[in-house]
Amino acid sequence: MEQGIVETLSQDLQKEFPDMKGFSAQNLWRMKQVYETYKNNNKLSTLLREIPWSHNILILHHTETLEEKEFYMKTCGWGLHILQIMCNVQTPRTPTESSRFDG
């Protein structure tokens, strides 16, 4: 998609749905990125629907592998601020590594 098309689509959506938020050009680009990242992974596609959009975007931009994304999606009971801290301090990246924090 070209930048002009996304800007136009954003404006059109905002006019069509004035009571809804989230149709900025930046969010449309993020939606495309989320789709491209998870389109071939049914397991993660399901998980991403269970957590808030802000958590998804944070995980998308602060992790590299699908395994890392899965770990943070599964431990997303944290608030956004705590999730951001945990991503930045590089807590365990895979479920097997998380055992060092268990009981």
Side-chain angles (χ1 to χ4, degrees):
M1 290 194 280
E2 292 182 25
Q3 183 68 26
I5 293 171
V6 173
E7 289 290 335
T8 302
L9 178 59
S10 171
Q11 292 169 4
D12 290 347
L13 287 169
Q14 290 176 43
K15 286 177 190 173
E16 186 69 27
F17 305 102
D19 296 332
M20 294 180 72
K21 296 184 180 193
F23 294 121
S24 68
Q26 182 179 20
N27 260 353
L28 295 179
W29 283 110
R30 287 176 176 161
M31 289 175 202
K32 180 179 184 277
Q33 189 176 20
V34 166
Y35 169 76
E36 289 175 345
T37 301
Y38 301 115
K39 68 182 176 185
N40 294 321
N41 191 313
N42 290 335
K43 184 178 183 179
L44 294 184
S45 293
T46 301
L47 284 173
L48 77 89
R49 291 182 214 131
E50 297 175 5
I51 62 175
W53 177 249
S54 56
H55 288 57
N56 277 312
I57 297 306
L58 182 70
I59 291 168
L60 185 68
H61 293 290
H62 283 83
T63 58
E64 295 177 16
T65 67
L66 292 175
E67 290 79 17
E68 290 175 320
K69 291 174 188 354
E70 180 180 357
F71 172 79
Y72 286 108
M73 285 179 181
K74 285 183 174 180
T75 57
C76 231
W78 299 319
L80 183 63
H81 181 69
I82 299 299
L83 178 61
Q84 188 171 19
I85 291 169
M86 299 309 280
C87 285
N88 288 336
V89 297
Q90 298 184 0
T91 57
R93 300 286 189 160
T94 64
T96 56
E97 293 175 7
S98 67
S99 62
R100 68 180 180 191
F101 288 101
D102 293 342

XYZ file of all heavy atoms in Angstrom:
855
model
N 0.837 -1.180 0.000
C 0.000 0.000 0.000
C 0.882 1.243 0.000
O 1.874 1.299 0.701
C -0.881 0.024 1.251
C -1.963 -1.019 1.260
S -3.231 -0.737 2.516
C -2.414 -1.370 3.964
N 0.489 2.207 -0.769
C 1.217 3.462 -0.795
C 0.779 4.334 0.369
O -0.331 4.227 0.853
C 0.944 4.198 -2.104
C 1.528 3.500 -3.309
C 1.288 4.288 -4.576
O 1.108 5.515 -4.500
O 1.282 3.665 -5.631
N 1.662 5.230 0.793
C 1.356 6.105 1.919
C 0.083 6.902 1.679
O -0.758 7.032 2.549
C 2.541 7.048 2.179
C 2.358 7.954 3.372
C 2.360 7.210 4.692
O 2.948 6.136 4.791
N 1.715 7.760 5.690
N -0.108 7.443 0.483
C -1.300 8.232 0.192
C -2.589 7.435 0.316
O -3.612 7.945 0.774
N -2.551 6.189 -0.067
C -3.728 5.323 0.017
C -4.108 5.088 1.475
O -5.283 5.136 1.843
C -3.476 3.981 -0.708
C -3.339 4.221 -2.211
C -4.586 2.988 -0.416
C -2.877 3.003 -2.985
N -3.126 4.854 2.306
C -3.382 4.600 3.724
C -3.944 5.850 4.392
O -4.890 5.762 5.179
C -2.110 4.100 4.445
C -2.332 4.000 5.943
C -1.676 2.759 3.882
N -3.386 6.995 4.083
C -3.899 8.251 4.645
C -5.357 8.465 4.238
O -6.203 8.826 5.064
C -3.050 9.443 4.168
C -1.672 9.503 4.767
C -1.677 9.851 6.248
O -2.636 10.487 6.725
O -0.722 9.467 6.934
N -5.649 8.230 2.963
C -7.017 8.389 2.466
C -7.961 7.390 3.132
O -9.058 7.757 3.565
C -7.057 8.217 0.936
O -6.188 9.184 0.353
C -8.457 8.387 0.396
N -7.540 6.144 3.224
C -8.352 5.121 3.876
C -8.613 5.494 5.330
O -9.738 5.376 5.821
C -7.669 3.756 3.794
C -8.389 2.600 4.474
C -9.780 2.388 3.889
C -7.555 1.322 4.362
N -7.593 5.979 6.011
C -7.734 6.403 7.400
C -8.789 7.498 7.537
O -9.680 7.417 8.387
C -6.389 6.904 7.929
O -6.540 7.502 9.193
N -8.699 8.481 6.695
C -9.667 9.589 6.734
C -11.078 9.096 6.415
O -12.049 9.497 7.072
C -9.246 10.685 5.764
C -7.979 11.384 6.188
C -7.402 12.288 5.105
O -7.996 12.464 4.043
N -6.233 12.849 5.372
N -11.195 8.236 5.415
C -12.506 7.695 5.044
C -13.129 6.891 6.186
O -14.321 7.025 6.470
C -12.403 6.814 3.796
C -12.099 7.609 2.536
O -12.206 8.860 2.559
O -11.750 6.971 1.517
N -12.325 6.055 6.832
C -12.833 5.249 7.949
C -13.257 6.128 9.125
O -14.277 5.873 9.762
C -11.780 4.233 8.395
C -11.551 3.051 7.454
C -10.313 2.281 7.862
C -12.773 2.146 7.409
N -12.472 7.154 9.398
C -12.810 8.052 10.496
C -14.102 8.821 10.215
O -14.892 9.071 11.130
C -11.649 9.009 10.764
C -10.460 8.299 11.377
C -9.250 9.194 11.574
O -9.392 10.324 12.015
N -8.073 8.692 11.228
N -14.334 9.175 8.966
C -15.581 9.853 8.599
C -16.763 8.892 8.665
O -17.843 9.253 9.118
C -15.480 10.433 7.177
C -14.617 11.651 7.078
C -14.509 12.119 5.642
C -13.450 13.189 5.506
N -13.211 13.537 4.096
N -16.558 7.670 8.217
C -17.625 6.671 8.187
C -18.008 6.190 9.587
O -19.166 5.879 9.852
C -17.197 5.470 7.329
C -18.263 4.437 7.106
C -19.410 4.912 6.219
O -19.188 5.816 5.372
O -20.528 4.388 6.376
N -17.026 6.130 10.470
C -17.244 5.633 11.835
C -16.733 6.658 12.845
O -15.739 6.425 13.555
C -16.524 4.293 12.037
C -16.903 3.244 11.040
C -16.071 2.941 9.970
C -18.096 2.554 11.169
C -16.418 1.963 9.047
C -18.458 1.578 10.257
C -17.620 1.282 9.183
N -17.387 7.805 12.952
C -16.883 8.893 13.799
C -16.836 8.554 15.296
O -16.050 9.152 16.028
C -17.859 10.046 13.532
C -19.096 9.387 13.033
C -18.655 8.140 12.320
N -17.623 7.603 15.743
C -17.636 7.245 17.158
C -16.599 6.184 17.516
O -16.432 5.849 18.690
C -19.029 6.750 17.571
C -20.080 7.849 17.440
O -19.710 9.035 17.565
O -21.248 7.521 17.205
N -15.917 5.660 16.521
C -14.904 4.628 16.757
C -13.508 5.244 16.656
O -13.277 6.145 15.866
C -15.043 3.487 15.741
C -16.337 2.715 15.889
S -16.475 1.379 14.682
C -15.289 0.228 15.322
N -12.608 4.708 17.456
C -11.221 5.169 17.425
C -10.335 4.056 16.884
O -10.739 2.913 16.812
C -10.766 5.578 18.819
C -11.530 6.756 19.356
C -10.986 7.191 20.681
C -11.801 8.390 21.160
N -11.189 9.067 22.258
N -9.121 4.413 16.519
C -8.149 3.407 16.109
C -7.911 3.324 14.616
O -7.244 2.410 14.147
N -8.441 4.290 13.862
C -8.281 4.234 12.412
C -7.248 5.232 11.893
O -7.317 5.662 10.748
C -9.623 4.464 11.709
C -10.624 3.373 11.944
C -11.846 3.648 12.516
C -10.332 2.067 11.596
C -12.786 2.648 12.722
C -11.254 1.053 11.808
C -12.479 1.339 12.376
N -6.290 5.579 12.717
C -5.222 6.467 12.243
C -4.395 5.729 11.198
O -4.391 4.487 11.141
C -4.320 6.883 13.404
O -3.592 5.767 13.888
N -3.695 6.473 10.379
C -2.834 5.846 9.369
C -1.797 4.944 10.040
O -1.523 3.835 9.576
C -2.161 6.913 8.521
N -1.251 5.400 11.157
C -0.263 4.601 11.879
C -0.859 3.268 12.330
O -0.234 2.220 12.205
C 0.264 5.385 13.081
C 1.336 4.648 13.850
C 1.866 5.452 15.016
O 1.233 6.378 15.503
N 3.050 5.081 15.480
N -2.086 3.295 12.845
C -2.728 2.052 13.276
C -3.038 1.141 12.095
O -2.959 -0.081 12.218
C -4.000 2.336 14.073
C -3.772 2.237 15.559
O -2.717 1.841 16.017
N -4.779 2.610 16.313
N -3.408 1.697 10.960
C -3.652 0.860 9.778
C -2.371 0.155 9.348
O -2.397 -1.022 8.990
C -4.237 1.696 8.634
C -5.628 2.274 8.893
C -6.085 3.111 7.699
C -6.640 1.182 9.192
N -1.245 0.867 9.392
C 0.036 0.228 9.076
C 0.342 -0.869 10.097
O 0.840 -1.940 9.759
C 1.168 1.246 9.047
C 1.172 2.076 7.792
C 0.875 3.397 7.690
C 1.473 1.634 6.462
N 0.970 3.799 6.380
C 1.345 2.740 5.601
C 1.839 0.404 5.913
C 1.565 2.660 4.234
C 2.067 0.328 4.548
C 1.931 1.447 3.724
N 0.033 -0.614 11.363
C 0.255 -1.627 12.398
C -0.625 -2.848 12.170
O -0.190 -3.984 12.374
C -0.026 -1.040 13.779
C 1.029 -0.076 14.249
C 0.638 0.540 15.559
N 1.684 1.395 16.079
C 1.483 2.318 16.999
N 0.274 2.506 17.495
N 2.479 3.060 17.415
N -1.875 -2.624 11.776
C -2.779 -3.745 11.483
C -2.209 -4.625 10.381
O -2.252 -5.855 10.457
C -4.155 -3.219 11.076
C -4.939 -2.607 12.195
S -6.483 -1.898 11.549
C -6.879 -0.728 12.831
N -1.663 -3.987 9.366
C -1.045 -4.726 8.259
C 0.159 -5.527 8.763
O 0.333 -6.691 8.414
C -0.615 -3.754 7.162
C 0.047 -4.415 5.970
C 0.418 -3.364 4.930
C 0.991 -3.974 3.678
N 2.420 -4.270 3.794
N 0.961 -4.908 9.617
C 2.139 -5.582 10.165
C 1.734 -6.778 11.032
O 2.349 -7.845 10.954
C 2.966 -4.579 10.969
C 4.294 -5.100 11.394
C 5.112 -4.034 12.104
O 4.585 -3.030 12.595
N 6.402 -4.246 12.169
N 0.696 -6.614 11.845
C 0.206 -7.717 12.675
C -0.266 -8.862 11.786
O 0.078 -10.026 12.003
C -0.924 -7.240 13.622
C -1.672 -8.418 14.230
C -0.357 -6.349 14.713
N -1.032 -8.520 10.764
C -1.517 -9.553 9.845
C -0.349 -10.301 9.196
O -0.323 -11.534 9.180
C -2.413 -8.941 8.764
C -2.703 -9.915 7.651
C -3.615 -10.945 7.837
C -2.028 -9.837 6.432
C -3.866 -11.869 6.836
C -2.271 -10.756 5.427
C -3.176 -11.765 5.631
O -3.409 -12.684 4.642
N 0.620 -9.570 8.683
C 1.745 -10.212 8.003
C 2.580 -11.065 8.944
O 3.111 -12.095 8.550
C 2.619 -9.150 7.331
C 1.945 -8.523 6.128
C 2.726 -7.385 5.517
O 3.666 -6.858 6.160
O 2.387 -7.000 4.382
N 2.679 -10.662 10.184
C 3.474 -11.411 11.158
C 2.818 -12.726 11.550
O 3.490 -13.745 11.693
C 3.728 -10.558 12.422
O 4.416 -9.365 12.039
C 4.542 -11.316 13.451
N 1.494 -12.721 11.721
C 0.811 -13.879 12.282
C -0.068 -14.652 11.309
O -0.671 -15.649 11.707
C -0.052 -13.432 13.467
C 0.747 -12.776 14.565
C 0.552 -11.439 14.884
C 1.700 -13.482 15.288
C 1.281 -10.828 15.904
C 2.430 -12.885 16.296
C 2.217 -11.559 16.596
O 2.937 -10.970 17.591
N -0.132 -14.255 10.061
C -1.091 -14.855 9.122
C -0.920 -16.360 8.935
O -1.893 -17.061 8.679
C -1.054 -14.150 7.768
C 0.237 -14.352 7.002
C 0.230 -13.588 5.705
C 1.568 -13.720 5.009
N 1.629 -12.901 3.825
N 0.271 -16.874 9.085
C 0.505 -18.303 8.877
C 0.691 -19.077 10.184
O 1.180 -20.195 10.176
C 1.728 -18.513 7.979
C 1.485 -17.990 6.592
O 0.397 -18.122 6.044
N 2.489 -17.353 6.006
N 0.330 -18.456 11.297
C 0.530 -19.097 12.592
C -0.794 -19.088 13.356
O -1.106 -18.131 14.062
C 1.625 -18.377 13.377
C 2.054 -19.143 14.588
O 1.228 -19.615 15.360
N 3.358 -19.263 14.779
N -1.564 -20.159 13.228
C -2.880 -20.237 13.864
C -2.816 -20.096 15.378
O -3.675 -19.467 15.991
C -3.584 -21.543 13.495
C -4.002 -21.571 12.048
O -4.201 -20.530 11.430
N -4.130 -22.757 11.490
N -1.801 -20.695 15.993
C -1.675 -20.648 17.445
C -1.527 -19.207 17.932
O -2.238 -18.764 18.833
C -0.465 -21.478 17.880
C -0.274 -21.583 19.363
C 0.927 -22.477 19.647
C 1.137 -22.692 21.111
N 2.280 -23.573 21.366
N -0.610 -18.454 17.318
C -0.399 -17.073 17.745
C -1.532 -16.164 17.296
O -1.856 -15.198 17.983
C 0.953 -16.554 17.242
C 2.182 -17.231 17.848
C 3.454 -16.571 17.359
C 2.128 -17.235 19.364
N -2.146 -16.465 16.167
C -3.303 -15.676 15.722
C -4.413 -15.741 16.752
O -5.100 -14.750 17.017
C -3.823 -16.190 14.378
O -2.896 -15.950 13.366
N -4.590 -16.901 17.354
C -5.603 -17.066 18.392
C -5.197 -16.310 19.652
O -6.012 -15.600 20.247
C -5.803 -18.554 18.712
O -6.209 -19.214 17.520
C -6.851 -18.761 19.782
N -3.933 -16.425 20.058
C -3.468 -15.749 21.269
C -3.573 -14.233 21.155
O -3.948 -13.556 22.109
C -2.015 -16.131 21.565
C -1.767 -17.508 22.150
C -0.267 -17.791 22.223
C -2.394 -17.625 23.523
N -3.258 -13.693 19.991
C -3.257 -12.234 19.870
C -4.643 -11.643 20.011
O -4.792 -10.495 20.407
C -2.574 -11.774 18.585
C -3.297 -11.863 17.248
C -4.083 -10.595 16.981
C -2.293 -12.076 16.154
N -5.668 -12.425 19.737
C -7.047 -11.944 19.900
C -7.472 -11.862 21.356
O -8.478 -11.260 21.676
C -8.005 -12.856 19.143
C -7.851 -12.750 17.646
C -8.862 -13.631 16.926
N -8.227 -14.121 15.716
C -8.202 -15.379 15.323
N -8.815 -16.300 16.020
N -7.589 -15.724 14.225
N -6.687 -12.481 22.239
C -7.048 -12.544 23.650
C -6.416 -11.442 24.493
O -6.711 -11.332 25.682
C -6.654 -13.912 24.215
C -7.399 -15.056 23.544
C -6.929 -16.415 24.009
O -6.091 -16.499 24.926
O -7.415 -17.415 23.444
N -5.538 -10.639 23.889
C -4.870 -9.585 24.659
C -5.129 -8.226 24.023
O -5.458 -8.134 22.840
C -3.349 -9.860 24.782
C -2.664 -9.870 23.422
C -3.099 -11.167 25.523
C -1.164 -10.022 23.483
N -4.990 -7.159 24.807
C -5.270 -5.821 24.278
C -4.345 -5.431 23.122
O -3.206 -5.894 23.026
C -5.029 -4.904 25.479
C -5.118 -5.788 26.680
C -4.653 -7.144 26.222
N -4.857 -4.556 22.281
C -4.114 -4.070 21.110
C -2.768 -3.479 21.521
O -1.748 -3.742 20.886
C -4.967 -3.039 20.371
C -4.307 -2.407 19.198
C -3.903 -1.104 19.102
C -3.973 -3.007 17.941
N -3.341 -0.870 17.874
C -3.372 -2.025 17.144
C -4.112 -4.297 17.436
C -2.923 -2.289 15.850
C -3.653 -4.546 16.144
C -3.070 -3.551 15.375
N -2.745 -2.691 22.581
C -1.493 -2.057 23.011
C -0.452 -3.105 23.404
O 0.738 -2.942 23.117
C -1.743 -1.090 24.168
O -2.381 -1.756 25.236
N -0.894 -4.197 24.019
C 0.027 -5.284 24.365
C 0.564 -5.952 23.094
O 1.749 -6.260 22.995
C -0.684 -6.329 25.223
C -0.967 -5.896 26.621
N -1.696 -4.768 26.930
C -0.631 -6.445 27.808
C -1.786 -4.643 28.233
N -1.154 -5.652 28.803
N -0.325 -6.168 22.131
C 0.100 -6.775 20.860
C 1.176 -5.944 20.179
O 2.176 -6.481 19.696
C -1.095 -6.923 19.911
C -1.902 -8.156 20.174
O -1.359 -9.233 20.299
N -3.206 -7.994 20.264
N 0.962 -4.645 20.130
C 1.923 -3.774 19.454
C 3.261 -3.772 20.185
O 4.322 -3.848 19.567
C 1.360 -2.335 19.321
C 0.098 -2.345 18.457
C 2.401 -1.378 18.762
C 0.261 -2.983 17.086
N 3.220 -3.722 21.507
C 4.453 -3.771 22.291
C 5.213 -5.068 22.023
O 6.422 -5.052 21.766
C 4.132 -3.629 23.776
C 5.335 -3.605 24.708
C 6.107 -2.307 24.536
C 4.891 -3.773 26.145
N 4.506 -6.184 22.070
C 5.134 -7.486 21.824
C 5.680 -7.558 20.397
O 6.790 -8.031 20.171
C 4.130 -8.630 22.102
C 3.839 -8.712 23.602
C 4.650 -9.963 21.564
C 2.668 -9.599 23.977
N 4.923 -7.068 19.453
C 5.349 -7.089 18.056
C 6.681 -6.358 17.862
O 7.566 -6.837 17.160
C 4.266 -6.455 17.180
C 4.488 -6.488 15.683
C 4.398 -7.918 15.164
C 3.469 -5.610 14.983
N 6.824 -5.214 18.520
C 8.005 -4.381 18.310
C 9.168 -4.671 19.251
O 10.277 -4.228 18.988
C 7.622 -2.904 18.400
C 6.735 -2.477 17.282
N 7.170 -2.368 15.979
C 5.422 -2.170 17.256
C 6.179 -1.995 15.203
N 5.095 -1.874 15.946
N 8.931 -5.409 20.334
C 9.997 -5.674 21.293
C 10.490 -7.113 21.288
O 11.274 -7.493 22.155
C 9.540 -5.292 22.707
C 9.571 -3.826 22.955
N 8.551 -2.996 22.571
C 10.512 -3.032 23.520
C 8.852 -1.758 22.907
N 10.030 -1.754 23.476
N 10.017 -7.908 20.361
C 10.480 -9.297 20.266
C 10.907 -9.577 18.833
O 10.487 -8.879 17.911
C 9.375 -10.288 20.674
O 8.239 -10.079 19.831
C 8.967 -10.099 22.119
N 11.709 -10.609 18.687
C 12.201 -10.941 17.351
C 11.593 -12.234 16.819
O 11.189 -12.295 15.674
C 13.728 -11.041 17.370
C 14.395 -9.718 17.675
C 15.906 -9.837 17.753
O 16.457 -10.854 17.282
O 16.531 -8.910 18.296
N 11.544 -13.247 17.651
C 11.101 -14.556 17.164
C 9.644 -14.816 17.522
O 9.094 -14.195 18.437
C 11.952 -15.682 17.769
O 11.688 -15.752 19.167
C 13.444 -15.465 17.512
N 9.038 -15.762 16.828
C 7.670 -16.154 17.155
C 7.599 -16.790 18.533
O 6.602 -16.640 19.239
C 7.120 -17.105 16.086
C 6.875 -16.476 14.712
C 6.445 -17.533 13.703
C 5.850 -15.348 14.789
N 8.662 -17.474 18.955
C 8.696 -18.079 20.283
C 8.657 -17.003 21.363
O 7.979 -17.152 22.383
C 9.948 -18.959 20.446
C 9.924 -20.220 19.624
C 10.281 -20.001 18.147
O 10.865 -18.943 17.797
O 9.958 -20.884 17.334
N 9.391 -15.911 21.150
C 9.360 -14.798 22.104
C 7.962 -14.183 22.160
O 7.433 -13.915 23.240
C 10.359 -13.712 21.705
C 11.800 -14.095 21.867
C 12.739 -13.037 21.339
O 12.464 -12.436 20.283
O 13.757 -12.804 22.009
N 7.384 -13.976 21.012
C 6.033 -13.406 20.946
C 5.050 -14.296 21.705
O 4.232 -13.815 22.477
C 5.605 -13.220 19.494
C 6.393 -12.137 18.775
C 6.031 -12.083 17.318
C 6.876 -11.172 16.485
N 7.863 -10.314 17.042
N 5.153 -15.609 21.504
C 4.263 -16.546 22.187
C 4.444 -16.460 23.700
O 3.468 -16.438 24.454
C 4.518 -17.970 21.711
C 3.627 -18.980 22.381
C 3.880 -20.410 21.919
O 4.722 -20.632 21.023
O 3.224 -21.313 22.468
N 5.680 -16.429 24.164
C 5.941 -16.347 25.599
C 5.249 -15.132 26.208
O 4.542 -15.241 27.208
C 7.447 -16.288 25.888
C 7.749 -16.019 27.334
C 7.666 -17.028 28.271
C 8.091 -14.745 27.752
C 7.923 -16.777 29.615
C 8.342 -14.479 29.090
C 8.267 -15.498 30.024
N 5.439 -13.974 25.612
C 4.867 -12.752 26.174
C 3.346 -12.716 26.037
O 2.658 -12.200 26.910
C 5.509 -11.512 25.561
C 6.905 -11.296 26.093
C 8.015 -11.531 25.305
C 7.105 -10.897 27.412
C 9.301 -11.355 25.804
C 8.383 -10.725 27.927
C 9.473 -10.954 27.116
O 10.726 -10.786 27.623
N 2.813 -13.271 24.970
C 1.352 -13.337 24.832
C 0.746 -14.205 25.927
O -0.305 -13.890 26.468
C 0.960 -13.895 23.463
C 1.130 -12.936 22.345
S 0.661 -13.745 20.794
C 0.966 -12.437 19.643
N 1.420 -15.300 26.248
C 0.901 -16.216 27.267
C 1.044 -15.653 28.676
O 0.324 -16.060 29.579
C 1.609 -17.566 27.176
C 1.155 -18.392 26.001
C 1.837 -19.738 25.998
C 1.264 -20.621 24.907
N 1.925 -21.934 24.891
N 1.967 -14.734 28.884
C 2.183 -14.158 30.208
C 1.636 -12.740 30.282
O 2.063 -11.945 31.092
C 3.687 -14.149 30.563
O 4.393 -13.432 29.561
C 4.225 -15.539 30.701
N 0.680 -12.438 29.460
C 0.182 -11.080 29.319
C -0.816 -10.665 30.381
O -1.566 -9.727 30.186
C -0.436 -10.893 27.939
S 0.239 -9.457 27.135
N -0.812 -11.326 31.520
C -1.647 -10.873 32.616
C -1.098 -9.586 33.217
O -1.741 -8.926 34.011
N 0.121 -9.245 32.821
C 0.738 -8.008 33.292
C 0.052 -6.807 32.663
O -0.460 -6.860 31.566
C 2.210 -7.961 32.889
C 3.065 -9.060 33.433
C 3.029 -9.588 34.689
C 4.109 -9.749 32.748
N 3.981 -10.561 34.824
C 4.660 -10.676 33.651
C 4.647 -9.659 31.470
C 5.715 -11.507 33.312
C 5.691 -10.484 31.134
C 6.214 -11.406 32.051
N 0.085 -5.684 33.361
C -0.357 -4.437 32.761
C 0.636 -4.013 31.690
O 1.754 -4.547 31.613
N 0.274 -3.053 30.890
C 1.130 -2.613 29.787
C 2.483 -2.125 30.281
O 3.521 -2.463 29.716
C 0.432 -1.523 28.970
C 1.195 -1.030 27.751
C 1.391 -2.156 26.743
C 0.464 0.137 27.104
N 2.490 -1.351 31.355
C 3.751 -0.806 31.869
C 4.686 -1.925 32.325
O 5.876 -1.924 32.014
C 3.474 0.176 33.013
C 4.708 0.795 33.569
N 5.472 1.707 32.868
C 5.324 0.620 34.762
C 6.513 2.066 33.608
N 6.438 1.424 34.764
N 4.145 -2.889 33.049
C 4.969 -4.014 33.518
C 5.448 -4.845 32.338
O 6.606 -5.264 32.293
C 4.181 -4.893 34.515
C 3.786 -4.083 35.743
C 4.958 -6.139 34.898
C 4.947 -3.519 36.534
N 4.578 -5.073 31.347
C 4.976 -5.816 30.152
C 6.139 -5.122 29.457
O 7.094 -5.768 29.033
C 3.789 -5.975 29.197
C 4.073 -6.685 27.882
C 4.550 -8.119 28.128
C 2.844 -6.672 26.992
N 6.059 -3.813 29.367
C 7.143 -3.053 28.731
C 8.451 -3.224 29.499
O 9.500 -3.442 28.905
C 6.765 -1.585 28.641
C 7.745 -0.766 27.841
C 7.236 0.640 27.594
O 6.343 1.125 28.280
N 7.794 1.286 26.609
N 8.388 -3.156 30.804
C 9.587 -3.351 31.626
C 10.134 -4.759 31.417
O 11.338 -4.942 31.213
C 9.276 -3.099 33.115
C 9.001 -1.612 33.347
C 10.415 -3.597 34.007
C 8.431 -1.291 34.712
N 9.245 -5.753 31.440
C 9.688 -7.139 31.289
C 10.314 -7.379 29.920
O 11.309 -8.081 29.804
C 8.533 -8.103 31.529
C 7.934 -8.002 32.941
S 9.142 -8.089 34.267
C 9.384 -9.847 34.333
N 9.760 -6.804 28.895
C 10.348 -6.942 27.554
C 11.716 -6.275 27.499
O 12.646 -6.794 26.895
C 9.437 -6.324 26.499
S 7.978 -7.290 26.088
N 11.846 -5.134 28.150
C 13.109 -4.391 28.113
C 14.218 -5.031 28.917
O 15.380 -4.904 28.579
C 12.889 -2.947 28.577
C 12.128 -2.141 27.553
O 12.129 -2.445 26.364
N 11.450 -1.110 28.002
N 13.870 -5.733 30.008
C 14.911 -6.376 30.805
C 15.174 -7.796 30.330
O 15.979 -8.505 30.917
C 14.597 -6.377 32.326
C 14.529 -4.981 32.862
C 13.365 -7.182 32.637
N 14.499 -8.203 29.302
C 14.684 -9.510 28.681
C 14.528 -10.652 29.670
O 15.460 -11.377 29.970
C 16.028 -9.580 27.966
C 16.112 -8.579 26.854
C 17.395 -8.699 26.068
O 18.242 -9.522 26.346
N 17.523 -7.862 25.071
N 13.305 -10.779 30.180
C 12.956 -11.918 31.020
C 13.023 -13.168 30.151
O 13.280 -13.078 28.957
C 11.536 -11.743 31.593
O 10.639 -11.591 30.517
C 11.478 -10.556 32.525
N 12.762 -14.317 30.707
C 12.850 -15.547 29.923
C 12.091 -15.426 28.609
O 10.977 -14.927 28.574
C 12.188 -16.594 30.816
C 12.299 -16.046 32.176
C 12.281 -14.559 32.042
N 12.704 -15.878 27.553
C 12.130 -15.739 26.225
C 11.310 -16.936 25.797
O 10.563 -16.869 24.853
C 13.244 -15.508 25.196
C 14.047 -14.264 25.464
C 13.253 -13.066 25.096
N 14.081 -11.887 25.142
C 13.787 -10.787 24.541
N 12.686 -10.664 23.860
N 14.561 -9.741 24.621
N 11.472 -18.049 26.452
C 10.720 -19.244 26.069
C 10.096 -19.861 27.303
O 10.588 -19.667 28.412
C 11.639 -20.297 25.400
O 12.600 -20.729 26.359
C 12.328 -19.743 24.174
N 9.026 -20.620 27.130
C 8.375 -21.236 28.290
C 9.313 -22.111 29.114
O 9.209 -22.149 30.327
C 7.255 -22.067 27.662
C 6.959 -21.383 26.374
C 8.293 -20.843 25.903
N 10.271 -22.775 28.511
C 11.169 -23.647 29.273
C 12.088 -22.830 30.166
O 12.463 -23.275 31.236
C 12.020 -24.531 28.338
O 12.726 -23.694 27.427
C 11.160 -25.516 27.596
N 12.442 -21.644 29.746
C 13.309 -20.797 30.568
C 12.553 -20.193 31.732
O 13.158 -19.760 32.694
C 13.901 -19.672 29.711
C 14.866 -20.165 28.668
C 15.336 -19.047 27.755
O 15.012 -17.877 28.008
O 16.025 -19.356 26.779
N 11.222 -20.151 31.664
C 10.460 -19.487 32.718
C 10.480 -20.250 34.033
O 10.140 -19.699 35.057
C 9.006 -19.279 32.268
O 8.343 -20.501 32.145
N 10.921 -21.498 34.023
C 10.900 -22.300 35.242
C 11.792 -21.723 36.331
O 11.558 -21.941 37.500
C 11.338 -23.739 34.935
O 12.651 -23.753 34.455
N 12.766 -20.922 35.996
C 13.621 -20.348 37.023
C 12.888 -19.312 37.876
O 13.349 -18.922 38.920
C 14.884 -19.739 36.417
C 14.634 -18.519 35.593
C 15.911 -17.981 35.029
N 15.630 -16.789 34.241
C 16.484 -16.223 33.472
N 17.695 -16.715 33.358
N 16.165 -15.140 32.794
N 11.702 -18.872 37.415
C 10.905 -17.922 38.175
C 9.763 -18.608 38.903
O 9.023 -17.967 39.615
C 10.326 -16.843 37.246
C 11.374 -15.889 36.759
C 11.904 -16.004 35.500
C 11.851 -14.872 37.589
C 12.867 -15.127 35.052
C 12.818 -13.993 37.152
C 13.336 -14.127 35.881
N 9.580 -19.894 38.676
C 8.485 -20.612 39.319
C 8.837 -20.915 40.769
O 9.959 -21.225 41.089
C 8.191 -21.930 38.591
C 7.637 -21.690 37.201
O 7.175 -20.569 36.937
O 7.686 -22.631 36.386
N 7.796 -20.834 41.607
C 7.807 -21.191 43.011
C 9.106 -21.355 43.601
O 9.630 -21.419 44.523
